[in-house]
């Protein structure tokens, strides 16, 4: 059997993490980007995966740092490189140069939620009956109502949403896990209005719930653009992202007294320690609660 080229090895690894590890498409795409960059670096040094040394990886990190790469980006690439070499060790018996490579510890990033008043502006129902405006409103209502990840939302099928009982089934969750999330009545109503417009404009479209203006499945980049445009439309200054809808969903639920384990279930977190980051978010709310209820505040 002929030895695989480095490009073929990368293709095999990506297929492995997608089909066997069941990682999300977003993670697979990130691995592809980071590892393609890694292979280019090795090629520029005249090396390949069969003879790479730890020194080459360290040099890559230093070079990317000098180019302005953030610590989180460097850590993501190191994790991708480590997973790649562990795969090659098992698949081909190649040496693993990351064995004694210490990864920097990632500081947990405290999410910045969208305030309830700003969310009200963003989710104000559109006066227009235009297909794209109704779609945008339904998408954003569902994002805030369910806490779904961006990839989960854009891959949702019409049959995954039960409008009668008010829930949605996430079948494309992180790690291939499936879960059911509630859908609030406002999101439900927005989806009904959107589906009417969708059936009129694209009666033979696929069963993907959210379509772009050409009748094809909406992509993550399209979701990002919709969030950005709607935030700008209602006068919100600063960066607003799709993931902030998920942060806001969890933060506002916690502030309203929701149980942390219920939030964990709805977010699809495997470990509650991931969900616990939200207990540090709404300090202002906690202080106001103490001032209102504690006799010594």
């Amino acid at each position: 059997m002929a030895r695989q080229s480095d490009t073929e090895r990368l293709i095999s690894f990506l297929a492995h993490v997608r089909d066997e590890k069941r990682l999300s498409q977003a993670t697979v795409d990130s691995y592809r980007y980071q590892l393609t960059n890694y292979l280019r670096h090795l090629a520029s040094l005249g090396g390949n995966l069969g003879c790479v040394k730890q020194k080459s990886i360290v040099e890559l990190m230093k070079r990317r740092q000098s180019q302005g790469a953030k610590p989180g980006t460097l850590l993501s690439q190191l994790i991708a490189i480590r997973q790649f070499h562990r795969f090659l060790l098992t698949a081909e018996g190649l040496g693993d140069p990351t064995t004694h490579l210490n990864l920097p510890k990632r500081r947990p990033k405290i999410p910045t939620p969208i305030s309830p008043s700003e969310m009200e502006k963003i989710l104000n129902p559109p006066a227009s009956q235009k297909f794209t405006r109704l779609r945008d409103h339904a998408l954003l209502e569902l994002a805030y109502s369910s806490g779904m990840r961006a990839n989960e939302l854009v891959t949702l099928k019409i049959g995954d949403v039960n409008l009668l009982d008010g829930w949605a089934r996430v079948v494309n969750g992180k790690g291939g896990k499936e879960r059911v999330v509630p859908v609030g009545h406002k999101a439900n109503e927005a989806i009904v209005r959107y589906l009417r417009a969708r059936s009129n404009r694209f009666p033979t479209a696929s069963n993907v719930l959210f379509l772009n203006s050409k009748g094809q499945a909406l992509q993550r980049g399209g979701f990002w653009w919709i969030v950005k445009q709607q935030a700008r439309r209602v006068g919100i200054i600063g960066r607003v992202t799709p993931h902030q809808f998920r942060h806001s969903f969890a933060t506002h639920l916690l502030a309203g007294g929701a149980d942390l384990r219920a939030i964990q279930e709805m977010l699809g977190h495997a470990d509650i320690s991931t969900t616990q980051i939200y207990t540090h978010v709404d300090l202002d709310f906690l202080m106001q609660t103490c001032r209102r209820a504690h006799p010594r505040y």
Side-chain angles (χ1 to χ4, degrees):
M1 182 176 176
R3 192 185 73 175
Q4 285 188 315
S5 69
D6 285 354
T7 300
E8 291 170 330
R9 286 167 172 150
L10 176 56
I11 293 171
S12 297
F13 171 71
L14 294 175
H16 169 72
V17 296
R18 183 189 64 239
D19 301 331
E20 296 183 38
K21 292 292 187 180
R22 305 272 297 178
L23 298 186
S24 71
Q25 188 59 48
T27 302
V28 175
D29 291 342
S30 175
Y31 277 179
R32 179 183 292 107
Y33 172 78
Q34 301 290 9
L35 293 173
T36 298
N37 178 276
Y38 175 50
L39 294 185
R40 286 191 189 124
H41 173 70
L42 293 182
S44 72
L45 298 176
N48 58 59
L49 292 169
C51 62
V52 60
K53 303 296 183 184
Q54 187 180 112
K55 179 182 178 182
S56 298
I57 301 174
V58 174
E59 287 177 356
L60 172 61
M61 293 302 106
K62 288 181 178 178
R63 189 182 78 184
R64 294 209 66 194
Q65 187 175 32
S66 69
Q67 292 171 341
K70 296 180 180 179
T73 301
L74 298 178
L75 179 58
S76 294
Q77 185 165 27
L78 281 172
I79 291 172
I81 291 171
R82 171 174 280 184
Q83 293 302 317
F84 190 22
H85 278 291
R86 286 180 176 176
F87 167 77
L88 294 175
L89 177 63
T90 302
E92 297 185 47
L94 294 184
D96 182 1
T98 69
T99 301
H100 302 293
L101 185 65
N102 294 322
L103 298 183
K105 291 190 176 181
R106 190 199 302 264
R107 291 183 179 180
K109 186 177 180 181
I110 304 298
T112 303
I114 302 166
S115 72
S117 61
E118 288 179 328
M119 190 63 79
E120 283 292 327
K121 292 179 182 178
I122 290 174
L123 299 179
N124 188 38
S128 170
Q129 294 301 302
K130 190 177 178 182
F131 166 80
T132 52
R133 293 297 300 276
L134 293 174
R135 178 208 58 199
D136 296 353
H137 185 230
L139 175 62
L140 298 178
E141 282 279 12
L142 184 57
Y144 180 53
S145 176
S146 66
M148 281 190 247
R149 299 176 178 91
N151 190 61
E152 295 168 349
L153 282 161
V154 298
T155 57
L156 203 65
K157 306 291 192 299
I158 292 177
D160 296 331
V161 183
N162 186 318
L163 296 173
L164 184 63
D165 296 325
W167 53 263
R169 187 180 303 279
V170 179
V171 297
N172 194 31
K174 193 172 184 179
K177 294 179 181 178
E178 185 176 310
R179 71 185 189 280
V180 173
V181 296
V183 175
H185 73 276
K186 289 188 177 181
N188 204 320
E189 292 168 357
I191 293 170
V192 169
R193 289 193 294 270
Y194 160 66
L195 284 176
R196 288 198 198 105
R198 182 190 189 278
S199 63
N200 289 332
R201 181 159 178 177
F202 301 109
T204 60
S206 71
N207 62 347
V208 174
L209 179 57
F210 293 110
L211 304 176
N212 62 22
S213 59
K214 296 181 180 178
Q216 300 167 338
L218 186 70
Q219 301 298 309
R220 284 167 54 91
F223 184 16
W224 187 285
W225 185 87
I226 289 167
V227 170
K228 181 179 178 180
Q229 290 300 310
Q230 181 61 9
R232 183 178 296 172
R233 186 178 291 125
V234 298
I236 295 177
I237 299 173
R239 189 168 178 260
V240 180
T241 70
H243 206 61
Q244 280 180 282
F245 278 73
R246 182 170 160 86
H247 288 328
S248 303
F249 164 82
T251 303
H252 298 168
L253 274 179
L254 187 65
D259 180 76
L260 196 62
R261 289 204 175 273
I263 298 173
Q264 176 195 3
E265 185 69 23
M266 288 184 280
L267 290 175
H269 286 160
D271 193 326
I272 199 168
S273 63
T274 308
T275 317
Q276 284 174 334
I277 190 172
Y278 293 101
T279 62
H280 304 292
V281 172
D282 206 358
L283 181 58
D284 288 342
F285 168 79
L286 297 177
M287 292 297 293
Q288 290 170 17
T289 300
C290 287
R291 291 190 183 106
R292 184 174 64 252
H294 195 288
R296 303 296 288 180
Y297 270 73

